[in-house]
Each structure stands twice: as C-alpha cells, then as structure tokens.
C-alpha cells in the first residue's frame, strides 16, 4: 500500500508539473519557426522587443545611417524595453525579401521598391508582398555615376566595365532603369559590361582601375564615393538636361537634383543628377505602440543625428509623408496625425 501511495503521489506531482510548464508556455506566447515569440498587438509591461533593421552593404548611406538609427533607438528606448540591431544586406530588394522571410522586422527601402513589392511589379511580378508599411520618408536617394577622368558623357560608357551594384540591391535596380532608358543595356544585350559588387568593392575596383565607372545611390556624401574621389582623379558625371528629361518621362518618381559644389573633394561645380525618396518601413505585425515609440524617438533625436550625418539634414517632420507610395503603419499614422502631418 505504501508503495502504491508513493506511485500515486509521483503521478500527481508529474501531472502538476506538466500543467505548470504548459501555463508558462501560454504566458510567453507561441514560438514561430525562426525561434522568435509571436508578439501581441500591444506591448505588455516589461516585455522586451528585439528588432532587426535591415540596411545595405558597407560603405553606403543605408549602412551608416542604419547603424546610427539602431544605436539611437536602443539607447533612447532602453526604458521601454525596445532594442534594435542593424543588419547588413544587399539593399532595398533584399530587405523586402528579408521581411518576407521573417529575417528582419524593420528595413530601409527605396520608395519605388516598396511600391513594386506591394503592387507585384518589376522584380516582384507575380509575388506581391504587402505585409509591411511605412514609418516615415527619409532622405532623398541620389544617383551618383562615378567615372574615370577621360569620360565626359554617359554615352561614352558603351563598351566599358561598369559596377551596377550588388545582386538584389536597390542600387542595381536603379542602374538597370537608368542605363537601359539611356540605351546602355546590360541584362540581355551587353552594351556595357556589368560588375555586381557592393559599394566598398566598387570603390576598390575604381581605385585599382579594374572598371571605368560605378553607379551609386545614396545620401550625400556617400562614404564610398568620398573614398574614390579622395584617392583618385575620378569624378562624378553630371547628367545633361535631355538625359534627365528622358529619365523623368520614363519613371516619374525621379526628380532632378543638384549636388552642390564642394560636396566632394575637387568638386568645383554643381553636378546635375536625379533622386527619389527613401523610406524606413516595418512589418505589419510589429505592435502599434512600438512603432509609435520608434517614430517619436526618431524625430526627437533627429537634430542630434543631423550633426553627424549630412544625408539627414534634408529630413524633417514636415516631409515625413513626401514620396511615400504605400500605407503608413498604424503606429506611425497615429503619430503623424497627432503632429498634423496626416489627416
């Protein structure tokens, strides 16, 4: 009997332990295939949110500013239990795919890439992805075509080796649009010979004279472009009025942009080119109150960040919705309505 009683007691204890473990699992939420806990609609008191911010390759503005954004948010929202880690990537297209795959929660993205993803156009044809929304417009992305000193017109790139950007990058998307509009195709016909590398690798290729040109897109000044212009006699190509007109007619999201003289070493004249808007975006399942805190913290800290990053000097709360072609995240929308930017 004593032995039987002990067995019964053991069964009861095991049963109670199983109930306790199940209860603890229910409080923490279900676990997704990538190992992250599913987050509730509202951030509960004391719950920690660790978010990824997908940027681009080293040497570009996305990578630099993205790293600073992550540090600012982690430091400023420490008491809110929110931390953000910057992640290197191949840029805008890769960032959208990373959100779709569950590899990141936040991303920097070209406005046109965000629009194409949600509409199922261009590289996203037949596979639209709508499960993300805008937090804010950021700085304009400026097209900078760096060439060797002997090239004075974009048509002189025919037959040359040109860095177009890393595969699956927003930079390469831009290069395709720009060069193919101007008769410099490199996907089917090889009017120019493309090199698919990132910003720093492109700078090294120019410095080592392995290519004759490289196209960059970024905020001013772009670190990799600065590196090339400091150490070589390369220059940024100025686009003529007819070229700019062709690009704007083909792709209305492009706007004319002037790179002011003195922005880069040995730049004695203004440079004409084109630009478009960048966005910071979030997956739709990031809680509303978390995104509200992110956008609020960003604009509170923007003046300090502008002292370190020239690209951010063009960013303002008043322009937060300029060039945004996709819906805003509810958390961002709430903040922007409160500030009178949205109605």
């Amino acid at each position: 009997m004593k032995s039987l009683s002990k067995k019964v007691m053991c069964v009861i204890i095991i049963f109670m332990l199983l109930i306790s473990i199940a209860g603890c699992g229910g409080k923490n939420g279900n676990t997704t295939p990538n190992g992250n806990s599913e987050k509730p609609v509202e951030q509960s008191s004391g719950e920690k949110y660790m978010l990824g911010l997908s940027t681009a390759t080293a040497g570009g503005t996305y990578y630099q500013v993205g790293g600073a954004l992550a540090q600012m948010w982690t430091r400023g929202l420490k008491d809110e239990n929110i931390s953000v880690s910057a992640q290197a990537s191949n840029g805008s297209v890769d960032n959208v795919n990373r959100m779709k795959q569950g590899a990141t929660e936040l991303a920097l993205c070209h406005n046109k890439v965000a629009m194409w993803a949600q509409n199922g156009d261009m590289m996203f044809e037949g596979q639209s992805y709508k499960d993300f929304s805008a937090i804010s417009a950021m700085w304009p992305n400026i097209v900078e075509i760096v060439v060797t000193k002997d090239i004075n017109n974009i048509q002189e790139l025919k037959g040359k080796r040109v860095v177009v950007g890393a595969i699956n990058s927003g930079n390469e998307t831009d290069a395709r649009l720009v060069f193919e509009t101007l008769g410099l195709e490199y996907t089917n016909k090889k009017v120019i010979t493309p090199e698919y590398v990132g910003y720093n690798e492109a700078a090294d290729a120019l410095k080592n004279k392995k290519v004759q040109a490289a196209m960059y897109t970024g905020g001013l000044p772009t670190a990799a472009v600065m590196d090339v212009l400091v150490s070589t006699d390369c220059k940024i190509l100025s686009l003529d009025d007819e070229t700019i007109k062709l690009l704007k007619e083909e792709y209305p999201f492009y706007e004319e942009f002037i790179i002011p003289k003195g922005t880069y070493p040995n730049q004695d004249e203004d440079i004409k080119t084109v630009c478009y808007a960048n966005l910071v975006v979030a997956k739709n399942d990031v809680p509303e109150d978390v995104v509200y805190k992110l956008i609020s913290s960003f604009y509170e800290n923007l003046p300090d960040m502008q002292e370190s990053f020239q690209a951010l000097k063009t960013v303002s709360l008043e322009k937060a919705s300029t060039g945004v072609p996709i819906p805003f995240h509810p958390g961002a929308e709430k903040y922007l309505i409160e500030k009178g930017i949205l109605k």
Side-chain angles (χ1 to χ4, degrees):
M1 290 295 293
K2 287 182 180 180
S3 176
L4 181 61
S5 297
K6 287 180 180 179
K7 289 180 180 180
V8 171
M9 287 301 295
C10 286
V11 170
I12 293 172
I13 290 168
I14 292 169
F15 180 70
M16 293 301 291
L17 283 171
L18 289 172
I19 291 175
S20 175
I21 292 168
C24 290
K27 287 177 183 178
N28 287 335
N30 297 326
T31 301
T32 59
N34 63 9
N36 296 324
S37 294
E38 293 178 356
K39 300 177 179 65
V41 175
E42 292 295 328
Q43 181 183 8
S44 60
S45 177
E47 187 169 4
K48 188 171 180 63
Y49 277 83
M50 294 180 288
L51 307 171
L53 171 63
S54 201
T55 62
T57 59
T61 311
Y62 271 25
Y63 184 83
Q64 292 183 317
V65 177
L69 276 172
Q71 290 178 8
M72 179 273 293
W73 275 328
T74 298
R75 183 176 60 251
L77 297 175
K78 182 179 179 180
D79 292 342
E80 305 289 345
N81 291 319
I82 296 171
S83 65
V84 180
S85 60
Q87 304 167 343
S89 74
N90 278 342
S92 289
V93 177
D94 189 29
N95 290 349
V96 171
N97 288 329
R98 285 170 60 80
M99 286 190 291
K100 187 175 183 179
Q101 294 160 4
T104 191
E105 293 79 25
L106 310 173
L108 292 168
C109 185
H110 297 173
N111 64 348
K112 55 185 173 50
V113 172
M115 177 180 66
W116 290 334
Q118 297 216 353
N119 293 341
D121 293 333
M122 297 294 285
M123 70 288 296
F124 299 101
E125 186 174 359
Q127 48 183 350
S128 65
Y129 175 60
K130 299 177 182 289
D131 192 26
F132 70 100
S133 44
I135 296 177
S136 179
M138 300 294 276
W139 65 93
N141 228 34
I142 299 145
V143 173
E144 300 170 277
I145 302 174
V146 182
V147 298
T148 52
K149 66 176 182 178
D150 56 311
I151 295 174
N152 297 303
N153 184 286
I154 197 165
Q155 293 301 324
E156 294 176 20
L157 293 180
K158 290 178 180 177
K160 301 292 195 297
R161 300 188 75 85
V162 181
V163 173
V164 295
I167 293 173
N168 282 337
S169 68
N171 195 100
E172 194 277 321
T173 303
D174 273 315
R176 203 180 322 155
L177 300 183
V178 169
F179 290 136
E180 292 186 2
T181 299
L182 303 176
L184 299 170
E185 187 177 358
Y186 62 84
T187 51
N188 296 320
K189 295 185 295 182
K190 294 292 190 291
V191 180
I192 60 174
T193 301
E195 294 289 339
Y196 297 93
V197 297
Y199 282 25
N200 286 344
E201 294 85 354
D204 289 340
L206 280 166
K207 289 188 289 185
N208 296 326
K209 299 182 179 181
K210 293 182 178 179
V211 299
Q212 289 74 52
M215 180 169 148
Y216 295 89
T217 57
L220 294 179
T222 302
V225 174
M226 183 72 77
D227 180 25
V228 173
L229 299 186
V230 164
S231 53
T232 72
D233 55 6
C234 291
K235 62 188 178 184
I236 301 174
L237 199 61
S238 192
L239 303 181
D240 58 48
D241 292 339
E242 184 61 28
T243 296
I244 292 172
K245 181 182 177 183
L246 281 172
L247 290 171
K248 289 175 67 176
E249 287 177 349
E250 187 70 19
Y251 301 105
F253 48 76
Y254 281 128
E255 295 289 340
E256 183 174 338
F257 187 88
I258 302 296
I259 302 175
K261 64 180 181 180
T263 300
Y264 290 104
N266 305 314
Q267 184 200 339
D268 300 324
E269 298 179 349
D270 291 345
I271 296 171
K272 284 185 177 181
T273 185
V274 291
C275 73
Y276 54 88
N278 287 298
L279 310 177
V280 59
V281 300
K283 291 188 67 175
N284 290 342
D285 61 359
V286 178
E288 178 180 327
D289 60 327
V290 172
V291 172
Y292 181 91
K293 291 168 185 174
L294 291 174
I295 187 172
S296 177
S297 177
F298 171 66
Y299 281 109
E300 286 173 6
N301 288 278
L302 180 59
D304 289 338
M305 295 190 71
Q306 287 173 328
E307 293 181 7
S308 301
F309 297 97
Q310 186 175 336
L312 291 177
K313 291 181 179 178
T314 59
V315 179
S316 68
L317 178 58
E318 291 71 26
K319 297 178 182 177
S321 63
T322 302
V324 179
I326 63 173
F328 277 95
H329 191 286
E333 185 177 52
K334 178 182 177 182
Y335 176 84
L336 295 174
I337 288 174
E338 289 177 359
K339 297 297 181 181
I341 305 304
L342 297 178
K343 295 181 179 180

